[in-house]
Amino acid sequence: MHCFSIIEGTKEALERLQMDYVDVIFAHRPDPTIPMEEVVRAFNWVIEKGWAFYWGTSEWSAREIEEAFHVASKLNLIPPAAEQCEHHMFHRERPEKEYEPLYRKYDYGTTVFSGLAEGILTGKYNDGIPKDSRFGREPEHDEERASLASEEGQAKIKKVRELAVFAEKELNCKVSHLALAWLVIKPHTSTIILGASKPEQILDNLKALDVLPKLTPTVLEKIEEILATKPSSVVSCSAFA
């Protein structure tokens, strides 16, 4: 990801979108062979051209994000505004542990993808893999199918079953609504990307908003007891401070 790639990639993306600008443009996975200064300067240039209002990171480590902030501060350039990361009930180490110092220091926000763990948290794989599901109909998901069949995968399914019972009996909702609402209430969740393939799925996912008032401290504690996935401690990312 060098200066030319960022600038030309932005131009080509805007042409495909048939738009003059976007609100946020994300740098997906940094190239460790390119100096961070070059990356930050390129996105600063994109913003000054009016092609984007902000730039963000995607799947960057906390150390890389901290370095971008350090470079931006040193050169009086625009730092990243948000991180696009995987975050769900079974994937918590990076968004809840590694990034915690960034939240405190920069009030950094996250744009979450895979909030339903590729469909696992909808409960549709609780009794096997349906033929009409993504894992069932697309051959490139052999690895995911094998993962679900593993001991670790089956342990996740067991937890989803428990969460589904809890969601239905205690909260009067689907487990997918609970999983999304659980993400929404995280203090640094800025946006959740809903990977729906049908319009009705979007409407169903939005029912998670009705669950938010029900997520009391007691309810959240019960969820943590079922999951047992909460990160143990916070790491520091102040190498460039």
Side-chain angles (χ1 to χ4, degrees), residues 2-240:
H2 53 77
C3 181
F4 179 80
S5 297
I6 292 170
I7 292 170
E8 291 303 310
T10 301
K11 288 170 62 177
E12 292 171 4
L14 290 174
E15 289 174 5
R16 290 193 297 271
L17 292 168
Q18 299 181 26
M19 299 178 69
D20 296 325
Y21 66 89
V22 293
D23 293 335
V24 185
I25 184 167
F26 287 96
H28 187 55
R29 290 197 170 90
D31 184 343
T33 66
I34 304 300
M36 186 62 72
E37 179 177 334
E38 185 173 336
V39 174
V40 177
R41 283 189 182 278
F43 280 109
N44 194 87
W45 194 87
V46 164
I47 292 172
E48 288 185 339
K49 289 289 288 185
W51 295 348
F53 289 144
Y54 305 95
W55 75 281
T57 57
S58 178
E59 291 290 271
W60 284 30
S61 70
R63 182 187 182 281
E64 289 160 338
I65 296 169
E66 177 76 15
E67 184 181 2
F69 270 96
H70 175 73
V71 169
S73 177
K74 181 181 178 181
L75 302 177
N76 197 29
L77 300 174
I78 300 168
E83 159 66 24
Q84 181 176 279
C85 61
E86 180 179 359
H87 191 185
H88 52 73
M89 288 175 162
F90 299 128
H91 186 90
R92 304 175 64 177
E93 286 290 316
R94 171 163 279 182
E96 296 182 34
K97 178 178 179 179
E98 184 182 335
Y99 291 160
E100 178 59 29
L102 299 174
Y103 303 148
R104 289 187 277 106
K105 188 172 182 179
Y106 303 113
D107 196 25
Y108 213 48
T110 61
T111 292
V112 176
F113 70 86
S114 195
L116 293 174
E118 296 187 287
I120 294 173
L121 284 164
T122 66
K124 65 182 176 183
Y125 298 118
N126 283 1
D127 300 309
I129 300 176
K131 292 182 179 180
D132 61 346
S133 67
R134 180 167 36 164
F135 288 0
R137 67 175 181 267
E138 297 176 4
E140 63 268 27
H141 289 293
D142 287 344
E143 185 176 338
E144 288 84 352
R145 285 192 288 270
S147 177
L148 273 184
S150 69
E151 184 178 345
E152 181 181 355
Q154 287 303 299
K156 289 180 180 179
I157 294 298
K158 181 180 178 182
K159 291 179 180 180
V160 175
R161 290 194 185 106
E162 291 182 48
L163 285 170
V165 172
F166 178 78
E168 292 167 9
K169 290 186 175 180
E170 303 294 330
L171 305 175
N172 192 30
C173 70
K174 295 181 182 177
V175 66
S176 58
H177 303 155
L178 173 58
L180 291 174
W182 179 88
L183 277 174
V184 171
I185 65 165
K186 296 295 180 184
H188 293 279
T189 299
S190 302
T191 309
I192 297 177
I193 298 172
L194 300 176
S197 59
K198 302 174 183 177
E200 51 266 33
Q201 289 178 332
I202 291 287
L203 295 175
D204 184 66
N205 286 338
L206 290 177
K207 293 177 182 178
L209 298 176
D210 298 330
V211 183
L212 292 177
K214 303 176 183 180
L215 296 184
T216 64
T218 300
V219 168
L220 291 172
E221 186 176 341
K222 290 180 179 178
I223 292 171
E224 293 293 0
E225 289 175 1
I226 295 171
L227 289 174
T229 57
K230 188 174 183 178
S232 57
S233 61
V234 174
V235 296
S236 173
C237 64
S238 58
F240 295 92

